[in-house]
Amino acid sequence: MKKILSLTIAAALLSLFQLSAQIDRSKAPEAGPAPVVEFGDFEKFTLDNGLRVILVEDHDRPLVSVAINFIVDPYMQGDKTGESEFFGELWSKGTASRTAEQINNEVDFLGASFRTSSSSIGFTTLTKYTDKMMEILSDVLYNPTFPQEEMDKMQDQYLGLLQMSQSQPSSIISNIQTATVYPEGHSYSDIMTEATVKNITVDDCRAYYDKYIIPNSAIMIITGDMKLKEAKALCSKYLASWEAGEVITFDDPAVNRPEGIEVVFSPKDGAVQSTIRMMAPITLTRDSEDLMALQIANGIYGGGGFDAKLFRNLRETHGWTYGAYSSVRPDEVSATFYAFGDVNANATDSSFVQMRQELQNMMDGDYTEDDLKKFKTMYAGDFSRSLESSDQIASYAYNIERYGLPADYYATYLQRLDALTLDDIRAVVAKYFDPDNMYWFCVGDPSVIPALAAYDSDGVVVELDFEGKPIERKAVAEGVTVESVLNSYLEAIGGRALVEGIKDMTEEVEMSVMGMSMTTTTKRIIDQKCFSVAQTMNGNPVSNIVLRDGKIKVSAGGMEQEITDPAQVEAMSDIYPFPEILGAEQGYVFTLEGIESVEGSDAYKVKQEKGGMVNYNFYDVATGLKVKSIASAQGQTQEVVFGDYQKTAYGIIYPMVQKVSLPQVGVVEAKVTDVTVNSGLTPDQL
């Protein structure tokens, strides 16, 4: 089939350009008409139980891929959000005759791959093992057991992933968009939380299986080294006895559409970047006649990478971001159009303004015939290259069947693309782009809120937490000041005199990171402004940082670097363990910013500034103890939640458990194993 495809594509390209011998070189050659593409034959048949089967033959390699895709109408999962994902992973974890380990071992022995999800089951294998893999597939299809022990493992994994997502702007912004756009009862209104994950049971997975894993809601795609007769025999042997069921569908309430500019914000204290998304729900299904023209319009605006307006504006002209893009996503329930990027915090509002301005430019027709040709050529090239893959051809055949597209939808793709005009682009821009009615979603430092409020149509920025729930701002009681908050903290840990008596301090912390044991030992000599931070992994030295004699020496991976620049040394010299006793004479400025919830309890939020560095500390209203700290350095934000305060030998009350949010890792629990004060440390001991 690939040889046929190559010849077809070559013929198509030849029809677009005249041979050089026929060209009048005094003028540019004209392209010929776009061809009808013959992208390869595929066969279809339907079993008596309603299972639709598509076969795309490819005999160039001795491989066969099988996928059964289930058309599950989206539904609201509510307080069990995540059950479909759990079902998809748990489905292959055991059958009445095979454990998860046995399934994996059999598949590995055959050199195959096997996969399940909430809406599919399938495999890829050498042709000679197709029958064996179909036997495994049918066993999983008919006899899943959903083992409780595997469920327990999955819940632990998902809870860990959720903890990680709480600090990831991309996850947060998706949650606040979901909470804003989709009303309660809508199938897209679900947000997975620790509570919903804990609610899911194996019975829920079994119920999902009984409702949705039925042949008459499925399309099976077979790709590779197989003839039609073989495909029919295979399906008859393994799938003909599969009983049909009731196809369940749902109706959704209307989505919430923006009225004017509506700014929705989620705080990430100390963030040096803002994650932004300008978005509007649209009505656009995959069979829409507008889709191709709208994709071209989106390419010109922001979907075309380096060549798009957004990228050139926000990155090349202003330098506010590494990249800004846009996307149009058709969907049978609720489609979306949005522009997005990670931008410098001090350019948050300006970036939104430029995104909106470029959208207005599209409305005003600020694009040319050359822009249209450029993106038509880009899309034509992408489409032509895709025809070299039998898997992609199978995907096209599936789309025709799944979404009721015309049989020649892909065969005439290049013709329809070639026929697009500027008037077509103008029509879809006018229909789908509306810069005056958009949601502006942002995750970043709260300091950007006032600037964003100036653009909100009613001047009010909606604030949501990482789960999309409204943030409740409580008023600080009369008489409470930043000084009283800090004094309460100092009294809670032992008193100002005890803290001021600290001359040196050694702290040892242990944590497990990605299965490895890490120990961090921090030593401080207060008066001499010396410190060291040594890290070991599984007992082996990893890094060591030493500040001594006004310079910093960093050792890691067998390399050593010395930092002597006064500004960098000063930035890294903030070694005091309890800066709350320091004041303006040491360069510290503290500001009481309000009350927020930390781990379910009210806490005073205090902004701590020194030399351009900003930290946020949170002090429990009831106990006075510091319960959270947020610090930013080198473009990364680190959050630490403190707990299990205990009295040390010196008398200071110290948090012996610290939950640390690490980039790309998630929340790691660190345990303080030793706190030693005034041991007589000297600089040569660092």
Side-chain angles (χ1 to χ4, degrees):
M1 184 176 68
K2 285 189 176 180
K3 292 179 180 178
I4 296 173
L5 289 174
S6 299
L7 291 172
T8 302
I9 294 170
L13 293 174
L14 283 174
S15 71
L16 291 174
F17 304 102
Q18 302 201 8
L19 295 176
S20 59
Q22 300 172 319
I23 291 177
D24 179 355
R25 299 186 182 277
S26 65
K27 60 180 180 180
E30 295 183 2
V36 175
V37 176
E38 297 293 340
F39 63 91
D41 294 331
F42 59 89
E43 304 284 353
K44 298 195 303 181
F45 59 93
T46 302
L47 301 186
D48 291 341
N49 56 17
L51 177 65
R52 290 171 283 175
V53 184
I54 298 171
L55 171 65
V56 177
E57 295 186 35
D58 180 358
H59 302 287
D60 287 351
R61 296 176 299 166
L63 292 175
V64 170
S65 289
V66 169
I68 303 176
N69 294 334
F70 298 89
I71 303 170
V72 178
D73 203 32
Y75 68 99
M76 190 185 74
Q77 300 178 40
D79 63 359
K80 293 181 181 291
T81 296
E83 69 175 10
S84 60
E85 289 92 337
F86 269 57
F87 162 76
E89 292 192 36
L90 201 61
W91 191 5
S92 62
K93 298 301 183 183
T95 71
S97 59
R98 290 178 170 94
T99 64
E101 184 179 8
Q102 287 173 324
I103 293 172
N104 291 334
N105 288 341
E106 286 187 57
V107 172
D108 288 345
F109 180 77
L110 300 175
S113 63
F114 183 73
R115 53 200 174 270
T116 59
S117 74
S118 61
S119 59
S120 69
I121 183 171
F123 63 81
T124 300
T125 184
L126 291 172
T127 306
K128 61 183 177 180
Y129 298 133
T130 301
D131 196 77
K132 178 61 178 175
M133 285 302 300
M134 277 299 297
E135 191 273 319
I136 295 173
L137 180 146
S138 61
D139 188 26
V140 174
L141 181 63
Y142 298 139
N143 308 303
T145 54
F146 307 109
Q148 182 63 53
E149 61 271 19
E150 296 290 344
M151 167 66 84
D152 294 339
K153 293 177 187 176
M154 284 179 54
Q155 284 183 317
D156 289 341
Q157 291 170 356
Y158 271 76
L159 290 173
L161 291 172
L162 281 171
Q163 284 188 328
M164 185 188 305
S165 71
Q166 292 177 11
S167 61
Q168 292 179 335
S170 59
S171 298
I172 299 170
I173 205 166
S174 292
N175 285 351
I176 65 174
Q177 175 180 307
T178 296
T180 301
V181 176
Y182 304 108
E184 185 177 354
H186 195 283
S187 56
Y188 290 173
S189 66
D190 292 323
I191 295 176
M192 190 187 300
T193 67
E194 292 185 10
T196 69
V197 166
K198 291 176 180 178
N199 284 340
I200 302 168
T201 67
V202 293
D203 288 338
D204 296 322
C205 294
R206 169 62 67 178
Y208 184 99
Y209 169 83
D210 291 338
K211 288 180 181 178
Y212 302 116
I213 306 306
I214 54 177
N216 47 316
S217 74
I219 300 174
M220 180 178 184
I221 307 101
I222 305 173
T223 310
D225 189 21
M226 185 177 294
K227 298 285 189 179
L228 179 61
K229 182 178 179 180
E230 296 170 322
K232 288 183 175 181
L234 197 72
C235 292
S236 177
K237 179 178 179 180
Y238 290 104
L239 303 173
S241 62
W242 188 8
E243 294 185 3
E246 178 188 359
V247 177
I248 302 173
T249 60
F250 300 90
D251 293 322
D252 287 291
V255 301
N256 300 320
R257 299 187 181 276
E259 297 180 1
I261 301 298
E262 297 187 26
V263 180
V264 183
F265 185 87
S266 190
K268 188 170 176 59
D269 293 308
V272 296
Q273 282 190 324
S274 294
T275 296
I276 64 174
R277 183 180 295 179
M278 187 178 72
M279 177 267 179
I282 59 176
T283 301
L284 183 75
T285 55
R286 287 173 178 82
D287 62 350
S288 171
E289 294 182 355
D290 293 336
L291 180 56
M292 181 179 288
L294 187 56
Q295 288 174 330
I296 294 292
N298 176 66
I300 297 171
Y301 172 64
F306 297 163
D307 294 317
K309 289 177 176 291
L310 281 185
F311 191 94
R312 294 199 304 266
N313 184 323
L314 271 67
R315 174 170 173 165
E316 294 181 4
T317 300
H318 290 102
W320 293 334
T321 179
Y322 286 112
Y325 310 94
S326 68
S327 176
V328 168
R329 292 190 176 180
D331 189 271
E332 313 314 298
V333 175
S334 178
T336 56
F337 163 69
Y338 60 91
F340 60 99
D342 294 322
V343 302
N344 296 338
N346 59 7
T348 302
D349 58 321
S350 301
S351 298
F352 271 121
V353 169
Q354 291 303 315
M355 282 182 170
R356 183 194 179 284
Q357 183 57 52
E358 290 296 357
L359 200 60
Q360 184 61 55
N361 290 342
M362 293 294 295
M363 299 287 291
D364 295 340
D366 183 23
Y367 45 87
T368 66
E369 188 71 45
D370 286 341
D371 292 323
L372 177 58
K373 287 181 179 179
K374 178 194 302 181
F375 284 96
K376 285 166 66 172
T377 301
M378 180 187 302
Y379 278 62
D382 291 344
F383 178 74
S384 297
R385 284 189 294 274
S386 74
L387 298 177
E388 299 176 7
S389 165
S390 56
D391 289 335
Q392 187 60 61
I393 294 169
S395 175
Y396 290 157
Y398 172 80
N399 288 342
I400 291 172
E401 183 69 25
R402 167 68 177 87
Y403 300 109
L405 303 177
D408 64 350
Y409 184 84
Y410 293 102
T412 61
Y413 181 91
L414 292 178
Q415 285 184 318
R416 289 182 288 113
L417 182 64
D418 185 60
L420 286 178
T421 66
L422 282 177
D423 285 340
D424 296 324
I425 305 304
R426 295 186 187 104
V428 295
V429 166
K431 183 176 179 180
Y432 294 97
F433 291 177
D434 187 358
D436 295 327
N437 293 282
M438 301 288 291
Y439 289 115
W440 289 11
F441 296 106
C442 178
V443 178
D445 188 85
S447 61
V448 308
I449 291 178
L452 292 176
Y455 297 98
D456 188 280
S457 293
D458 60 8
V460 178
V461 174
V462 176
E463 294 186 68
L464 303 178
D465 66 14
F466 63 88
E467 290 184 351
K469 298 175 182 177
I471 294 176
E472 181 182 359
R473 298 294 184 191
K474 295 185 178 180
V476 176
E478 187 176 352
V480 175
T481 65
V482 68
E483 290 79 11
S484 67
V485 171
L486 299 183
N487 285 333
S488 294
Y489 166 64
L490 293 173
E491 287 302 313
I493 63 173
R496 179 177 290 271
L498 201 61
V499 174
E500 289 179 337
I502 297 175
K503 305 302 180 185
D504 65 70
M505 181 172 171
T506 300
E507 175 193 47
E508 189 167 288
V509 179
E510 293 182 353
M511 66 177 74
S512 178
V513 181
M514 301 178 71
M516 294 179 287
S517 176
M518 174 182 285
T519 300
T520 302
T521 303
T522 304
K523 299 179 180 180
R524 302 177 176 94
I525 305 176
I526 309 304
D527 293 340
Q528 300 186 48
K529 286 194 174 183
C530 298
F531 81 86
S532 67
V533 180
Q535 288 187 324
T536 63
M537 188 78 74
N538 292 337
N540 301 311
V542 174
S543 66
N544 192 34
I545 303 173
V546 179
L547 166 63
R548 187 170 46 209
D549 302 327
K551 56 187 177 183
I552 295 174
K553 187 175 291 185
V554 180
S555 304
M559 306 290 288
E560 193 172 276
Q561 179 184 4
E562 190 173 88
I563 301 173
T564 58
D565 177 71
Q568 294 188 54
V569 172
E570 177 63 24
M572 298 179 68
S573 298
D574 191 9
I575 69 167
Y576 204 83
F578 304 98
E580 286 82 1
I581 69 168
L582 306 178
E585 62 274 14
Q586 288 90 16
Y588 284 89
V589 177
F590 297 95
T591 308
L592 179 58
E593 295 207 332
I595 295 177
E596 293 187 10
S597 177
V598 176
E599 302 278 285
S601 299
D602 290 343
Y604 295 114
K605 178 182 178 181
V606 175
K607 184 178 183 180
Q608 172 187 313
E609 299 176 89
K610 181 188 178 185
M613 301 292 290
V614 177
N615 291 354
Y616 293 92
N617 297 313
F618 298 79
Y619 304 88
D620 190 273
V621 170
T623 67
L625 294 171
K626 184 189 294 185
V627 289
K628 187 169 76 170
S629 180
I630 299 174
S632 297
Q634 298 179 338
Q636 299 285 355
T637 301
Q638 179 173 290
E639 178 179 307
V640 183
V641 175
F642 304 104
D644 190 25
Y645 274 83
Q646 296 181 21
K647 193 172 185 178
T648 65
Y650 175 70
I652 287 286
I653 307 298
Y654 203 76
M656 307 308 285
V657 173
Q658 303 175 7
K659 296 179 181 178
V660 186
S661 296
L662 299 176
Q664 311 305 321
V665 175
V667 179
V668 176
E669 185 173 278
K671 294 185 178 180
V672 179
T673 57
D674 183 62
V675 179
T676 303
V677 177
N678 295 346
S679 64
L681 273 179
T682 59
D684 59 351
Q685 292 177 309
L686 299 178

